[in-house]
Amino acid sequence: MKFMALNSSQVSSSWLRQFGTALESEDVSAIASCCHPKVYFRDILVFGWDNRCLHGHSKLAAYLTDAFAKESQPSITRVELDESRPGLLPEYGPLTNKLPLRAVSAAFRFSCAVGVGRGYFSLIYTESGQWKALVVMMALADIKGHEEIEHPLAQRHEGNERRAIETNPHALIIGGGQSGLVVAARFKQMNIRALVLETNYRVGDNWRKRHPSLVLHSPKKCNSMLYRPFPNSWPDFISRDQFADWLEQYVLELDLVVWTNSRPLPRPTYDPTSKKWTVEVDRAGEHLVLNPVHIVVAAGTLGAPRVPYIPSQHIFTGTAMHSSEYRDGKSFFGKRVVVVGAGNTASDLCQDLVLQGAQSVTMVQRSSTWITSRASAREMFECMYPSELDIDVCDLLAMARPLKLMQKIEKQTMAETLKEERATHRGLREVGFYLETEKTFLSLWYERLGGFWIDNGCAELIRSGKVKIKQGVEILQFSGAYSIGFTDGTSMEADSVIFATSHESITNTMRPLLGEKIIAMAGPVWGTDGEGELRGCYRPTGHPGLWFAAGELAVSRPCSKQLALQIKAIELGLL
């Protein structure tokens, strides 16, 4: 279908007038009629205090009927286009960079019973000659009278205020890595007293302890810290030490209250009457008791290192360690090293080991792996986070890409993607490497948190034979002082074995701290539910006053706002 002199603004305005009228009148049938039969309707705290993504007319109608029947929310009014900044204005173009389907997309704003909201829609032209919404996203942006403060550095904690946070925090955040600090920064701007507990002696040490050659696998724009983007002079792919030092400086610049060398002790208790926790904290050896209303676990998406049990390890006189203990490839100079695993970490370590002069490097690949070139990954991230757009605009647009739809598009365009990656994949199958061809980065990240790597040279090392592949097997046993046996009956001489075998789930790691009952009530964290929404992260768990903040900065940056809004709503008696 060709459109001569298509006026995107006119199309958007006309559709939004109908949609806004239907919302204001709470006419479910009229709302559905504005949408494509296969619509993806994403609601973030507008029609209910949770994340939902409704696919198709029937599910959308049932959801909105229930929502409008409730006394609280939504009372939608003042629905209008948001043309305040680049990236929000109506435009006509491809729905994604890989799909030929084109759409008219635009941002809008609205008011509701409790505050104001932001939204985004993508319209496609149907066979009936009408523009219908394939995607609609609506998100609560602020609660009236409790709006987010716009100028972080203008609000610094005075002495009495800091003491109040340290003695009576409203929220206790466990973990002072990037997610914990982003949540703390957001809470500060939402007037929620937050205290952060960080186990390490310095903020950023969780990164400093990793191997020196480490760089972030995604460009810096995608990894921007909330309110504080990285300097333009920095490289696109930030080093370990740059990121660690930035986290430490972030605490100072935003005046966050962080206790280092501090940790909660087992087992905090929750009083359903007072709706407060009792938490004993070890602060550099001093034991204190705090009574926060909320605990936010921001100790990572993944938990403790997962090390497989291998019989007869005591007879192995070489080095056996988890990848989290790997500090520097120089200590492996001249040694025969086996790396178990074939994801991002394994590829990084294999590459470092070759560069540092290991005698031999063998990667044990137990299942399939998706590999994408850094150039392809960079192109994908730059499409999602273009340099000319503000990061919060990029985050809004990302929120308007429902995961279920993106996974469907990923599947439809897999053949094209494989063609684009032919140069990266060349020669890998011939040396025994098992390439994943059904799922790419997006699905593997949200489903497994692994099973892929963004290639920075390891694929070429495999092709050249500098990294050898042992595929489809597990280590069965240590069969000698410098020997390991595999499940296929073969064996291999090795001086060192490094297990790049990922980590336990964060809930399993938190089990000794929080206790079996609380973890069982909380439910799973990470992965997606039936609607494609993240499970247990930045949304209610099964236990009151307990929240999890997980995921990369592209997740924690926007989702910290919805977490803050839910906690503020509870404080105000709205939720």
Side-chain angles (χ1 to χ4, degrees):
M1 173 67 71
K2 294 183 178 179
F3 301 100
M4 302 301 295
L6 176 69
N7 189 323
S8 299
S9 182
Q10 187 177 51
V11 170
S12 299
S13 297
S14 175
W15 180 87
L16 191 61
R17 272 195 302 273
Q18 296 178 49
F19 184 65
T21 299
L23 285 172
E24 291 181 20
S25 60
E26 300 187 355
D27 187 334
V28 173
S29 178
I31 294 170
S33 72
C34 292
C35 301
H36 190 276
K38 296 182 179 180
V39 65
Y40 292 84
F41 191 103
R42 191 162 188 233
D43 170 34
I44 303 174
L45 310 181
V46 176
F47 297 93
W49 290 102
D50 199 357
N51 293 5
R52 298 293 304 274
C53 187
L54 296 312
H55 180 35
H57 277 179
S58 61
K59 290 181 180 178
L60 173 60
Y63 177 66
L64 293 180
T65 298
D66 288 345
F68 289 138
K70 296 174 183 175
E71 292 183 7
S72 60
Q73 293 182 280
S75 298
I76 307 289
T77 59
R78 299 174 61 191
V79 182
E80 57 188 23
L81 287 174
D82 182 354
E83 300 179 287
S84 58
R85 284 185 288 171
L88 304 179
L89 282 67
E91 62 176 1
Y92 177 65
L95 193 62
T96 74
N97 64 320
K98 286 192 173 183
L99 201 66
L101 181 65
R102 301 176 74 82
V104 172
S105 301
F108 65 99
R109 52 193 169 210
F110 58 91
S111 296
C112 61
V114 299
V116 295
R118 304 173 71 190
Y120 196 83
F121 58 81
S122 292
L123 313 176
I124 60 174
Y125 197 72
T126 64
E127 292 180 356
S128 62
Q130 296 176 301
W131 291 96
K132 301 288 185 179
L134 181 64
V135 175
V136 179
M137 187 278 296
M138 297 179 67
L140 182 66
D142 274 308
I143 296 173
K144 281 183 285 192
H146 301 273
E147 291 80 7
E148 181 176 356
I149 301 168
E150 293 184 1
H151 305 291
L153 292 181
Q155 302 292 323
R156 304 195 69 82
H157 294 307
E158 302 297 333
N160 290 339
E161 185 181 3
R162 180 172 285 270
R163 279 191 293 274
I165 292 171
E166 294 186 315
T167 57
N168 186 30
H170 192 72
L172 184 67
I173 300 172
I174 301 174
Q178 60 269 25
S179 291
L181 297 183
V182 161
V183 169
R186 185 77 77 177
F187 282 9
K188 180 172 183 254
Q189 299 313 107
M190 298 282 290
N191 196 26
I192 298 168
R193 297 189 312 277
L195 171 64
V196 181
L197 302 182
E198 169 55 36
T199 302
N200 290 299
Y201 286 93
R202 290 173 61 191
V203 169
D205 276 355
N206 57 322
W207 286 89
R208 294 186 188 94
K209 290 177 179 178
R210 303 176 74 174
H211 62 94
S213 61
L214 178 70
V215 296
L216 301 190
H217 288 102
S218 48
K220 65 182 178 183
K221 178 80 180 267
C222 173
N223 290 305
S224 294
M225 295 290 288
L226 182 64
Y227 311 127
R228 283 293 173 273
F230 298 112
N232 290 332
S233 58
W234 279 21
D236 277 345
F237 295 91
I238 297 169
S239 72
R240 175 200 75 169
D241 291 337
Q242 283 177 310
F243 192 58
D245 292 345
W246 191 259
L247 294 179
E248 194 168 41
Q249 185 63 27
Y250 188 80
V251 171
L252 298 175
E253 283 199 24
L254 272 65
D255 196 32
L256 306 178
V257 183
V258 180
W259 288 356
T260 54
N261 190 22
S262 301
R263 58 204 52 80
L265 298 174
R267 309 273 181 84
T269 57
Y270 183 78
D271 183 350
T273 303
S274 65
K275 298 182 181 178
K276 287 189 175 184
W277 293 88
T278 298
V279 186
E280 187 176 5
V281 173
D282 176 351
R283 185 187 186 189
E286 179 185 3
H287 286 202
L288 307 164
V289 175
L290 299 172
N291 298 107
V293 178
H294 302 277
I295 291 177
V296 179
V297 178
T301 310
L302 296 168
R306 179 186 293 135
V307 181
Y309 169 72
I310 309 295
S312 308
Q313 185 167 341
H314 64 281
I315 68 172
F316 184 68
T317 58
T319 303
M321 65 167 66
H322 189 266
S323 57
S324 60
E325 302 173 84
Y326 183 93
R327 296 292 177 265
D328 194 340
K330 292 178 182 177
S331 60
F332 297 92
F333 177 82
K335 295 188 176 180
R336 300 162 298 179
V337 187
V338 173
V339 177
V340 182
N344 257 332
T345 299
S347 68
D348 278 354
L349 298 193
C350 286
Q351 189 168 354
D352 191 51
L353 288 162
V354 170
L355 293 175
Q356 298 297 340
Q359 179 183 324
S360 67
V361 179
T362 301
M363 175 187 288
V364 178
Q365 185 197 27
R366 298 163 296 165
S367 59
S368 61
T369 305
W370 170 254
I371 303 178
T372 188
S373 68
R374 176 175 275 195
S376 295
R378 186 174 193 159
E379 181 184 355
M380 177 187 72
F381 285 120
E382 286 177 352
C383 284
M384 295 176 67
Y385 300 92
S387 58
E388 67 272 15
L389 298 186
D390 293 339
I391 189 64
D392 63 319
V393 172
C394 296
D395 287 340
L396 178 74
L397 300 182
M399 290 163 63
R401 297 184 186 100
L403 185 58
K404 283 279 191 181
L405 175 59
M406 293 299 101
Q407 288 176 319
K408 182 179 179 181
I409 292 171
E410 176 186 75
K411 197 168 185 178
Q412 291 174 346
T413 59
M414 190 63 175
E416 179 187 346
T417 303
L418 286 169
K419 282 184 181 179
E420 292 172 355
E421 298 293 353
R422 274 185 301 192
T424 302
H425 296 171
R426 177 181 55 83
L428 296 181
R429 289 186 181 89
E430 288 74 5
V431 295
F433 195 89
Y434 183 19
L435 283 166
E436 170 65 56
T437 58
E438 297 295 325
K439 297 177 180 179
T440 65
F441 167 79
L442 185 70
S443 292
L444 292 167
W445 173 253
Y446 285 108
E447 290 175 9
R448 291 174 46 192
L449 277 170
F452 63 87
W453 83 58
I454 297 174
D455 189 59
N456 193 30
C458 189
E460 181 56 38
L461 295 177
I462 294 172
R463 280 191 289 270
S464 67
K466 293 179 180 178
V467 173
K468 294 179 172 56
I469 299 297
K470 183 76 174 173
Q471 207 285 321
V473 298
E474 302 268 5
I475 294 181
L476 179 65
Q477 62 184 350
F478 288 98
S479 51
Y482 292 99
S483 179
I484 54 178
F486 295 99
T487 50
D488 64 354
T490 62
S491 62
M492 179 181 295
E493 297 295 305
D495 301 299
S496 302
V497 178
I498 302 172
F499 293 100
T501 45
S502 193
H503 294 70
E504 301 291 343
S505 70
I506 189 62
T507 48
N508 279 343
T509 300
M510 288 292 115
R511 202 178 302 273
L513 172 66
L514 298 175
E516 182 64 43
K517 183 178 178 182
I518 290 175
I519 288 296
M521 289 178 66
V525 174
W526 203 255
T528 57
D529 61 19
E531 295 177 349
E533 296 293 323
L534 280 175
R535 297 183 300 176
C537 303
Y538 308 97
R539 59 192 299 198
T541 65
H543 192 287
L546 178 64
W547 310 81
F548 284 85
E552 70 277 24
L553 280 160
V555 172
S556 61
R557 200 172 45 239
C559 290
S560 62
K561 181 63 177 280
Q562 69 190 55
L563 174 55
L565 286 167
Q566 289 169 96
I567 286 178
K568 181 60 70 173
I570 293 170
E571 180 185 343
L572 298 173
L574 300 173
L575 170 58

